Amino acid sequence: MIYLLWSLFNIGMLVWFLLIAFGALKLFLKEMGMVSTIIFVIGIFSFIKGSVVSNQDKGYQMKQNEAVGMKNLESAISYHLDLSYIYTKDSTYNGKLSSKILVTGLISGHGWNPGLTYTEMKNGIINYNVTGDHQWKLLGLVLYNQEQEFKGTVKVK
C-alpha cells in the first residue's frame, strides 16, 4: 500500500511541478521574448538525464532442454519484484542456470537498483541470494536507499 501511495504522491507532485513550470514559461515568454524562451527550454531539457531506449533483452530463443520459472520476491498492491530463471533440464537437475530480476507494476517514485544476484541449482533445488537497493524518489531525486536482500530456495518440477 505504501508503494501505491508514494507513487500517487509522486504523480501529484509532478503535475504540480508542470503547472508551475508552464506558468513560469508563460511569464518568461512575456518578459524575455520567444528566442530567449526557446533557449531556456532547450537548456532545461539538457539537464534531463536518462534513456528512452528500452534495455530489455531481444527475443531469447529457448532450447528444447530448457525450462523457465519465476519466484516472487516482494509483492504489493501495485508493485512486484520477481526472480525469473531459465535452467537446463537433465536427469539430475544439476544444470546451467540463468536468472534476472523483473520489476513490474506502478513504479513511479520508487524503483529497484539491482546488486548481486546469485543462483545455483543442485538436485532440482535452486538456491538464490538477491541483493539490491529499493530507491525512494521524489521527482527523480533519490531520497532514501533501502538495502534489501532475499534468500531462499525453489524446487523445480
Side-chain angles (χ1 to χ4, degrees):
M1 183 69 157
I2 189 79
Y3 298 119
L4 178 62
L5 292 175
W6 188 254
S7 295
L8 293 175
F9 177 70
N10 258 278
I11 291 170
M13 292 292 288
L14 178 63
V15 169
W16 190 13
F17 172 76
L18 290 175
L19 289 173
I20 293 169
F22 282 122
L25 194 61
K26 211 165 147 181
L27 286 174
F28 200 83
L29 178 63
K30 182 178 177 183
E31 293 295 321
M32 301 298 285
M34 179 63 81
V35 174
S36 296
T37 304
I38 291 172
I39 292 171
F40 177 72
V41 169
I42 291 170
I44 293 294
F45 282 135
S46 71
F47 289 109
I48 297 174
K49 61 181 176 179
S51 175
V52 181
V53 179
S54 173
N55 291 332
Q56 293 182 354
D57 294 332
K58 304 288 187 242
Y60 175 77
Q61 296 293 324
M62 285 186 53
K63 298 176 183 90
Q64 189 172 6
N65 64 338
E66 288 183 334
V68 66
M70 190 174 295
K71 168 71 175 166
N72 182 270
L73 301 175
E74 185 176 29
S75 187
I77 292 175
S78 64
Y79 167 79
H80 299 280
L81 184 67
D82 300 315
L83 173 68
S84 175
Y85 51 88
I86 298 174
Y87 60 94
T88 304
K89 296 187 286 185
D90 66 2
S91 60
T92 61
Y93 283 98
N94 290 327
K96 289 173 40 178
L97 180 67
S98 176
S99 61
K100 183 175 185 177
I101 300 299
L102 301 175
V103 180
T104 56
L106 181 61
I107 53 172
S108 174
H110 63 95
W112 176 260
N113 187 20
L116 176 67
T117 301
Y118 170 77
T119 51
E120 176 186 50
M121 185 164 91
K122 287 186 179 175
N123 300 325
I125 297 177
I126 297 173
N127 293 309
Y128 64 87
N129 186 1
V130 176
T131 61
D133 294 328
H134 194 121
Q135 295 179 332
W136 294 89
K137 303 175 184 179
L138 182 60
L139 295 176
L141 178 67
V142 177
L143 298 178
Y144 180 68
N145 271 338
Q146 179 184 4
E147 292 181 11
Q148 291 182 308
E149 181 177 16
F150 302 97
K151 290 181 181 181
T153 60
V154 178
K155 183 167 175 44
V156 296
K157 299 173 184 167

